[in-house]
Amino acid sequence: MLIGRRSIAGLAVGLAYTGLSSRAAFAADKEIVVGANVPMSGPAASGGIAAERALTHATEIINKEGIQIGPDRYTLKIAIYDNKYIPAESVTNAEKMLSEGIRYIYSIGSGNSVPIVDKTNAAKALQFSFASGKDHLTGPNLPLSFRSVPTNETAYAIYPWLKTAYPNVKRVAHVNPSDEAGFTESEDRRAQAEKAGFTNVANEYFKRGATDFYPTATRVLTSNPDFIDFGGSIGRDQALGVKALRELGYKGMIMVGYVDPKTFLEIAGPEGAEGALLSNTLIEPQTQVQKDLVDWYIKKYGPPFSAVLYDSWDPIFMLAEAMRKAQSIDPVVVAESLRSLEWAGLFGTMKYGMKSVYKIDCSMTRDIPMGVVKGGKSTYLTTIPWPKGL
Amino acid sequence: MTATLALQIGITGLVMGLIYMLIALGVTLIFGIMRVVNFVHGELVMLSAFAVYYLSAEWGINFWLALPLAMLVSAFTGILCQKFLFRPLRYDILNCFIIGIGASFAIRSGSWALFGPEPRAIPALVPGVMRIGGAFVSQQRVFTAAVCVVLAVALFLFLQYTRPGKAMRAVEQDPEAALLMGINIENVYVTVFVVSGALAAVGGALLGMLFGVDPEMGAEPLLKSFIIVQIGGMGSILGTVIAGLFIGMSDSITETTLGGELAFIIDFAILMLILIVRPKGLFGYDV
Amino acid sequence: MLLEIRALAMEYGTARVLSGVSLNVAEGEIVTLIGANGAGKTSCLRAISGLNPTAAGEIRFAGERIDTIPPRKRLDMGIVHVPEGKRLFPRMTVRENLEIGAFKRRDSAGIAADREAMFARFPILQARQKQRAGSLSGGEQQILAFARGLMARPRLLLVDEPTVGLAPLMVQELSRTMRAIHRDGVAILLVEQNAAMALRLASRGYLLETGRIMAAGPTRELLANDYVRKAYLGL
């Protein structure tokens, strides 16, 4: 019966988002519309659908209390704009949102977030993105652009930790999708790995959504690595990559991220997945808030829970809190408030920072949870604290 | 390049070529007989994979029962496409092409909403890895390759020796003459969609075991199928088999030696070249 | 009457290609339909076998009305059409072409016997039975087209322009073949541009011009008709 309910819920979501995107999103007097420029179809749809579910539920919670600014009580409303993970669609979406008066924009994927950031900043709209993209997306010239999830930046914490935790690792290979996300991830991860004292031996790219990973895996293995970082790869792609590596006889370490642990195990298979490090991945809900979130999801959509959903959870709460603190809905004012906000979220203390790298505090900093696949199960490994002074 | 690497490239290419061939056979069958480019074929692959996944992995039905059920579902969906998409358009090649693209996107979007964001996997039937020389290949891939070969041979025998198979060939070569032989063309069209749908279902189950199940899984194999069908000559079974192996091998070589991004570019370059030299494809004939 | 056509009209789009055509073929009779290119001869045969719909009039076969039933049902009744241009299945073998001619029959023993009979009657087909039909010469293809038609055990054979492009010797051979088929009790409705040959072969004839029957009668009368002699026999 679970299936039946999920199907109906799924259809309802499907209908809801087509309805939302077609409806002109003009704000009622006290409604603040947050436009979500996310992939609801195409090779990265899994991320977009998870985000849509997270954002909708988060705003329900926020709206119970509302955002009190002076005498006025505001609520948030999510309007979904499907970018199909195509940059051109994303630009069209941004133009549509800005012309409809939307001044808060959430965006997923660097290929979709980078091409619109100049437009949103020029229009004085606050953009927060779940994306890699480094200084293409963050910097003093883009004061209204925030990166709400540490992506390539996790390398700043992980590689120094790796050096002490696994001293035998010497030769690192990087495997990434051949797009903006993959390029920036690869660049940063290589730099941080070298800085931590590793040798970079390979730097491979694959086409996102490719069917077979034997060729890519064969190619990587010719460089004889002992640690393979899947960087900016997501979900199915990296599970298949890992499976191929193991089937081709690779015995060294593998690190993946942006993956739901259950899905990863299912696709990579128990032998394939064994030993893989799950970077920046919350394996099991630990706190009550996390448990509630998982319970709500399973009840509403049925299993499996999509762990990438965690990443789209806190930023919208932080936005609401920044509005309350600033007592304003002007994106320029809210941006400054957001910059100084410390938030107790799903991942512990969360704050927009990294001024030392990007010359402005605008990239999410928080502790990095690590998991590992052990005995055919994903288990919690450790939490790497965010490096001091970054 | 070492001998081991060459062997690995060869094995990878052979297996992928056979898988692409299996998907492409369903496309070429429909094109050959009905002159319809069935863009929905990739979605049949995907829906069948989900059907097998739910039936076997979720509801615990034996795989060998789940597969025929999925084949039924896929064949039935194929008939629906034939009756409600292509027949109303009177099998006009361009209109069917356009409506097929539309239907394919609609099915894919609907599937994301219906099945949710997380990809799934159908558990492998034959786990474990084989070592051939210095090269590796999972046993599931060997099994998959064998199934593809068996199905290609079965399809050939079906077309060559059975009554419905002969009727299909007759309709393919001259529909009007087939009508004069007393062949019911509408029935042949239904049979074609049933056979093509059943092939798609097996393809979906095999792909789902090797590469996971998600709403986009049919997209790339279908695109490869179109290249293969074009190279082999639209409608030619033998051409599809040879072109499938050729593309699998060429992909394996380019992706392994030059990197993943280049494979499609090389595929299209090969296609262009062949279409310039032989506009009807390797084994094509006047349609 | 085996075949009775009354006031038949046919249209392709808005163009009327046949109007008021009435025509009969008796059991076991050879009848010919002659006329110039584009007169509507082929259209008439296509209406009888059911490849094209009629616009008006009726077609009866053995007393039953057949102009609204699908081609395969007409085949069941014994109407077999050997179309213009032979229309063989070019990438099937000679043998497969023969066998598919009997597609509607279920008596495999009878089919095999008929196939052997065709081989005996046309030894060239036996010699070439494993070859693709597309690789035969024009005359051989025409013989195969006849043989394929006979495999359906016709009562009425509709034959469209069998002699086009064939050498005189081959034309004679086909004449003999049609006479032999006729002797077996099969009625033939023959459409021909080669009026001299057709009128010698048939017992009755119809002359079709721009979609209408202009003359009809026993072939010896037509052969004596001045207009026919001038326009179609070149005398």
Side-chain angles (χ1 to χ4, degrees), chain B residues 180, chain C residues 45 80-84 86 142 145-146 149 157-160:
Chain B
L180 290 179
Chain C
L45 293 194
V80 173
H81 187 166
V82 179
E84 192 180 5
K86 301 145 216 142
Q142 191 60 59
F146 267 109
L157 201 60
L158 309 171
V159 184
D160 197 352

Side-chain angles (χ1 to χ4, degrees), chain B residues 184-231:
Chain B
N184 184 338
I185 294 197
E186 199 56 33
N187 282 357
V188 168
Y189 286 175
V190 170
T191 321
V192 170
F193 267 92
V194 166
V195 172
S196 170
L199 288 176
V202 181
L206 294 172
L207 280 172
M209 281 186 266
L210 288 178
F211 307 120
V213 181
D214 76 20
E216 299 293 321
M217 66 181 283
E220 192 188 79
L222 187 72
L223 196 52
K224 295 276 183 197
S225 292
F226 286 151
I227 297 174
I228 289 165
V229 168
Q230 281 281 355
I231 290 178

Side-chain angles (χ1 to χ4, degrees), chain C residues 110-122:
Chain C
I111 294 172
D114 280 6
R115 187 188 60 223
E116 293 313 313
M118 291 306 152
F119 284 158
R121 188 180 219 169
F122 309 109

Side-chain angles (χ1 to χ4, degrees), chain A residues 46 211-212 219 243 263 306, chain B residues 16 117-119 141 210 220 257:
Chain A
S46 60
T211 303
D212 190 15
R219 192 170 153 77
K243 185 179 173 189
T263 307
S306 179
Chain B
M16 276 320 287
E118 284 305 323
R141 283 184 186 232
L210 288 178
E220 192 188 79
T257 57

